[in-house]
């Protein structure tokens, strides 16, 4: 039993490429949903604006609270520092101050409990502070650099050297305030704190020295309070944003829901359900909108019904007139034929009149036939006699019918037919009529130059292109050329006596087959009409085996850097897109 094929592992580059495609597809879906939902855009905009406003207000409020808290703590610390300095100065003015001059090992603190005035002052300050959580005090003697007196377990490394330098530059009694981390012995992590330092001179008291007194105030409690306030502000802000989003959702829902119902009703109305109406609730603007929509729908239904009746009357009138004109036309035709056959016995003026009457009667009969055909298309009564035929044979018959007219205009046909059969299911009579109309049009506007007739086929479609080298078409006339009774130059008379309905009927014939009839033209380069039909009747035509723009023109324009996109006629609207 053969083993199952191993699944090929994807390389990292392929995985990254697939991930990017997935992200782009997801982003595209989100973008489409966002732009198609008014309610989602309103709620999203409300949330974004609310987040920005709440963030700005929260930051401002947090800064004000932190500033007020720290200012209050700093003010209290300054008051305590001033009282402590006065107490220290009182101890230093005692006669026992001479004991403070006893040597102390460098880097070792003098703890409270000794007999020197500094130790007594330190002991007093420790009692005033109560605990390290309130504040600590460090006293330094400038004459003894390694000596310091400290309360609790404060570490003297907490005092920044730059603060000491700043303090020496100040006058005695001036404060130096720094916010810096405080270090305690036995605690691995520092705590945020405030240091208020000052210099205390004792000149004239018998000590003749200067002391540095630092009050170290921990701010960990204030930090915890501010963190709690910040969390509370964030929670309140998030709740406020969600509340505003919910309010926006509810408010927009009251507006968007009626608008959605109106949009759905408008879509059903556009689809032909003219009895579609909206429910009117209340008397507000949306209720008036629903009332106006219902009135518009009623008026539109009435107008469409009137237009349908008018169109039906017009189609019936054209059909009746065309049929009724056939009887007198037959009588006139018989009399005209007699006069035409006997024109040699008449004088030149009467003979010329007989010829003119014969020509105009032929044109009148052709116009009646075209009007009857158009009326059948308008009434939806046209049908196809489908048969499998070779397109080359249909082209040859149409060319044979046009050769006499081509000889009178000194025009030759250049046939470019494939060597193998091009079979397709079609109504050969209607297709042959399309080709005759295209050939007659090319002869009339081809300026006597050669007309190229090309046939192409692929697996799904067949195509016939008629190319002339005449005056061509101006931009925008590719769509107008299929309109009824349209002329590119109204002042120019028809040289072959056409009715002005040939191309319009040809387009209807092409659409009846499920095909395309398209036109291309450019001033001075001639024009080309392309008929594309599916090989199988009823199949959807998705492309054409022949290009709409002649290859030599496309190549010339590409060389000049003027690549031109083909313009499709209205017949393509019902056929799909051009595959060229």
């Amino acid at each position: 039993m053969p083993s199952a094929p191993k699944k090929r592992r994807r390389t990292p580059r392929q995985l990254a490429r697939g991930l990017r495609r997935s992200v782009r597809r997801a982003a595209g879906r989100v973008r489409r949903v966002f732009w198609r939902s008014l309610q989602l855009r309103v709620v999203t905009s409300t949330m974004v604006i609310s987040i920005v406003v709440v963030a700005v207000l929260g930051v401002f409020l947090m800064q004000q609270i932190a500033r007020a808290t720290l200012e209050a703590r700093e003010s209290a610390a300054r008051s305590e520092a001033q009282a402590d300095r006065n107490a220290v100065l009182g101890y230093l003015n005692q006669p026992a101050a001479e004991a403070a001059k006893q040597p102390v090992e460098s880097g070792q603190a003098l703890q409270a409990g000794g007999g020197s005035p500094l130790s007594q002052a330190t002991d007093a300050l420790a009692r005033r502070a109560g605990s390290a959580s309130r504040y600590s005090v460090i006293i330094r003697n400038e004459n003894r650099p390694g000596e310091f007196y400290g309360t609790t377990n404060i570490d003297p490394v907490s005092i920044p050297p730059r603060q000491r330098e700043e303090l020496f530059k100040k006058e005695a009694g001036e404060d130096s305030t720094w916010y810096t981390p405080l270090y305690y012995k036995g605690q691995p992590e520092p705590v945020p704190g405030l240091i208020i330092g000052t210099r205390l001179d004792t000149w004239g008291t018998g000590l003749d020295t200067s002391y540095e007194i630092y009050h170290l105030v921990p701010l960990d409690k204030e930090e915890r309070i501010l963190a709690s306030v910040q969390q509370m502000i964030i929670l309140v802000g998030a709740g406020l944003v969600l509340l505003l989003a919910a309010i926006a959702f509810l408010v927009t829902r009251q507006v968007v829901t009626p608008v959605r119902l109106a949009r759905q009703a408008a879509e059903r109305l556009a689809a032909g359900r003219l009895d579609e109406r909206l429910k009117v609730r209340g008397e507000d603007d949306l209720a008036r909108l629903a009332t106006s929509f219902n009135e518009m729908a009623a008026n539109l239904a009435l107008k469409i019904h009137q237009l349908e009746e008018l169109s039906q009357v017009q189609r019936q009138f054209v059909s009746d007139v065309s049929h009724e004109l056939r009887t007198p036309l037959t009588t006139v035709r018989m009399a005209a034929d007699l006069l035409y056959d006997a024109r040699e016995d008449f004088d030149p003026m009467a003979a010329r009149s007989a010829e003119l009457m014969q020509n105009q009667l032929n044109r009148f009969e052709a116009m009646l036939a075209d009007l009857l055909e158009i009326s059948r298309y308008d009434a939806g009564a046209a049908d196809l006699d489908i048969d499998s035929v070779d397109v080359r044979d249909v082209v040859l018959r149409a060319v044979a019918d046009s050769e006499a007219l081509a000889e009178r205009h000194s025009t030759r046909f250049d046939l470019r037919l494939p060597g193998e059969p091009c079979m397709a299911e079609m109504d050969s009579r209607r297709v042959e009529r399309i080709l005759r109309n295209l050939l007659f049009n090319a002869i009339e506007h081809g300026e006597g130059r050669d007309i190229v007739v090309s046939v192409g086929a692929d697996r799904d479609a067949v195509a016939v292109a008629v190319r002339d080298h005449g005056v061509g078409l101006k931009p925008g006339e590719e769509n107008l050329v299929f309109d009824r009774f349209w002329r590119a130059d109204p002042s120019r008379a028809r040289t072959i006596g056409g009715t002005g309905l040939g191309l319009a009927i040809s387009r209807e014939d092409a659409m009846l087959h499920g095909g395309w009839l398209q036109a291309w033209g450019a001033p001075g380069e001639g024009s080309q009409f392309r008929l594309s039909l599916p090989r199988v009747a009823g199949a959807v035509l998705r492309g054409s085996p022949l290009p709409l723009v002649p290859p030599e023109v496309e190549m010339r324009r590409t060389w000049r850097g003027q690549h031109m996109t083909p313009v499709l006629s209205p017949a393509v609207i019902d056929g799909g897109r051009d595959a060229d």
Side-chain angles (χ1 to χ4, degrees), residues 105-133:
E105 293 184 9
S106 177
Q108 184 179 5
L110 297 178
Q111 299 298 332
S116 67
L118 284 180
S119 62
Q120 295 176 6
T122 304
D123 184 56
L125 295 182
R127 290 194 300 269
R128 288 171 60 91
S131 62
S133 60

Side-chain angles (χ1 to χ4, degrees), residues 273-506:
R273 297 173 57 179
L274 301 179
D275 57 343
E276 187 67 28
R277 298 294 184 271
L278 291 175
K279 294 182 180 179
V280 180
R281 298 185 180 90
E283 298 179 355
D284 54 6
D285 293 336
L286 294 176
R288 289 196 292 271
L289 174 63
T291 302
S292 301
F293 178 87
N294 293 338
E295 293 177 356
M296 179 195 67
N299 293 332
L300 183 62
L302 178 60
K303 294 297 183 183
I304 291 177
H305 182 67
Q306 292 175 352
L307 290 176
E308 288 178 349
E309 289 182 348
L310 179 60
S311 177
Q312 180 65 28
V313 170
Q314 290 177 343
R315 289 195 299 266
Q316 189 65 35
F317 174 77
V318 172
S319 179
D320 293 344
V321 168
S322 301
H323 282 92
E324 293 299 329
L325 285 177
R326 282 189 173 277
T327 301
L329 180 61
T330 303
T331 304
V332 175
R333 163 63 69 183
M334 293 174 61
D337 289 342
L338 290 174
L339 294 175
Y340 184 77
D341 293 339
R343 69 184 183 279
E344 296 180 356
D345 300 334
F346 301 154
D347 60 86
M349 292 295 295
R352 179 57 180 166
S353 299
E355 292 176 357
L356 292 176
M357 184 174 61
Q358 185 74 6
N359 292 334
Q360 295 303 316
L361 280 174
N362 292 335
R363 184 178 179 185
F364 189 41
E365 284 184 337
M367 183 176 294
L368 277 179
D370 289 345
L371 286 174
L372 284 172
E373 191 69 21
I374 286 291
S375 65
R376 280 193 289 269
Y377 278 115
D378 292 340
D383 55 358
L384 296 175
D385 185 9
I386 298 297
D387 192 11
S388 181
V389 297
D390 189 349
V391 179
R392 299 179 302 171
D393 296 338
V394 180
V395 172
L396 292 175
R397 289 197 298 269
V399 170
D401 294 341
S402 307
E403 283 182 348
L405 181 63
E407 290 178 359
R408 290 199 298 269
H409 287 76
S410 302
T411 301
R412 294 188 306 111
F413 291 117
D414 181 6
L415 301 182
R416 300 178 182 179
L417 307 180
E420 56 185 11
C422 301
M423 305 302 295
E425 297 178 356
M426 65 179 68
D427 187 338
S428 58
R429 179 183 66 84
R430 294 181 183 274
V431 174
E432 187 175 338
R433 180 171 61 188
I434 295 174
L435 297 178
R436 279 199 304 269
N437 287 328
L438 296 181
L439 292 173
F440 289 169
N441 183 76
I443 293 171
E444 182 176 5
H445 300 282
E447 303 290 332
R449 298 184 179 93
D450 291 351
I451 296 174
V452 180
V453 182
S454 305
V455 177
D458 57 19
R459 184 183 61 182
D460 301 320
V462 295
V464 180
V466 179
R467 167 87 160 98
D468 68 74
H469 300 81
V471 295
L473 297 173
K474 298 177 182 178
E477 292 182 348
E478 297 90 348
N479 298 330
L480 300 176
V481 73
F482 296 101
D483 292 346
R484 301 175 184 182
F485 303 107
W486 182 83
R487 289 186 183 183
D489 185 4
S491 63
R492 179 177 176 178
R494 301 184 187 274
T495 60
I496 61 175
T499 63
L501 296 173
L503 291 179
I505 294 176
S506 298

Side-chain angles (χ1 to χ4, degrees), residues 434 438 461-464 482 506-507 509-519 529-534 540-546 568-580:
I434 295 174
L438 296 181
V462 295
V464 180
F482 296 101
S506 298
R507 181 182 62 177
D509 284 334
M511 295 174 63
L512 191 61
H513 281 83
W516 308 336
L517 182 58
Q518 302 157 264
F529 289 78
R530 183 182 67 180
L531 172 65
S532 305
L533 301 174
V540 178
L541 188 61
R542 302 186 182 278
S544 179
L546 292 178
L568 305 183
S569 72
V572 185
I573 297 176
D574 196 48
R577 62 176 179 86
D578 189 11
D580 293 333

Side-chain angles (χ1 to χ4, degrees), residues 92-94 97-98 100-101 143 202-209 211:
L92 293 178
N93 288 331
Q94 294 178 3
E98 294 295 334
K101 299 179 181 179
N143 295 332
T202 58
W203 304 102
T205 61
L207 297 176
D208 297 335
T209 185
Y211 297 93

Side-chain angles (χ1 to χ4, degrees), residues 109-318:
L110 297 178
Q111 299 298 332
S116 67
L118 284 180
S119 62
Q120 295 176 6
T122 304
D123 184 56
L125 295 182
R127 290 194 300 269
R128 288 171 60 91
S131 62
S133 60
R134 186 179 177 191
Y135 67 89
S136 303
V137 179
I138 292 179
I139 302 176
R140 290 180 178 273
N141 189 340
E142 294 182 2
N143 295 332
R144 300 178 180 181
E147 176 183 333
F148 70 92
Y149 291 83
T151 63
T152 65
N153 56 345
I154 188 67
D155 196 331
V157 298
S158 300
I159 302 174
R162 294 176 58 188
Q163 185 179 14
R164 297 192 64 190
E165 296 175 0
E166 178 184 338
L167 190 62
F168 285 130
K169 297 177 182 179
K170 292 179 176 292
E171 297 292 336
E174 293 184 359
D175 292 337
S176 173
T177 304
W178 282 62
Y179 287 91
T180 183
L182 303 182
Y183 296 88
Y184 293 89
K185 297 177 181 179
Q187 295 184 10
E189 297 295 333
V191 297
L194 168 66
I195 300 179
I196 301 176
T198 187
R199 287 174 51 239
L200 186 62
D201 290 339
T202 58
W203 304 102
T205 61
L207 297 176
D208 297 335
T209 185
S210 179
Y211 297 93
E212 304 169 33
I213 303 178
Y214 297 95
H215 283 74
L216 299 92
V217 183
L219 301 176
D220 51 345
K221 291 183 179 179
E222 286 74 11
E223 185 180 52
R224 288 193 296 269
I225 293 174
L226 293 177
S228 300
V229 173
Q230 183 178 7
Q231 293 178 358
M232 185 61 64
I233 291 177
I234 292 175
L235 292 177
V236 172
L240 181 60
V241 170
L242 295 177
L243 181 60
L244 292 175
I247 293 174
F249 175 80
L250 295 177
V251 172
T252 54
R253 184 177 181 180
Q254 295 179 359
V255 178
V256 171
T257 300
V259 174
R260 287 178 179 171
L261 294 177
R263 187 259 302 171
Q264 295 170 359
E267 291 176 352
R268 290 190 290 268
L269 187 65
R273 297 173 57 179
L274 301 179
D275 57 343
E276 187 67 28
R277 298 294 184 271
L278 291 175
K279 294 182 180 179
V280 180
R281 298 185 180 90
E283 298 179 355
D284 54 6
D285 293 336
L286 294 176
R288 289 196 292 271
L289 174 63
T291 302
S292 301
F293 178 87
N294 293 338
E295 293 177 356
M296 179 195 67
N299 293 332
L300 183 62
L302 178 60
K303 294 297 183 183
I304 291 177
H305 182 67
Q306 292 175 352
L307 290 176
E308 288 178 349
E309 289 182 348
L310 179 60
S311 177
Q312 180 65 28
V313 170
Q314 290 177 343
R315 289 195 299 266
Q316 189 65 35
F317 174 77
V318 172

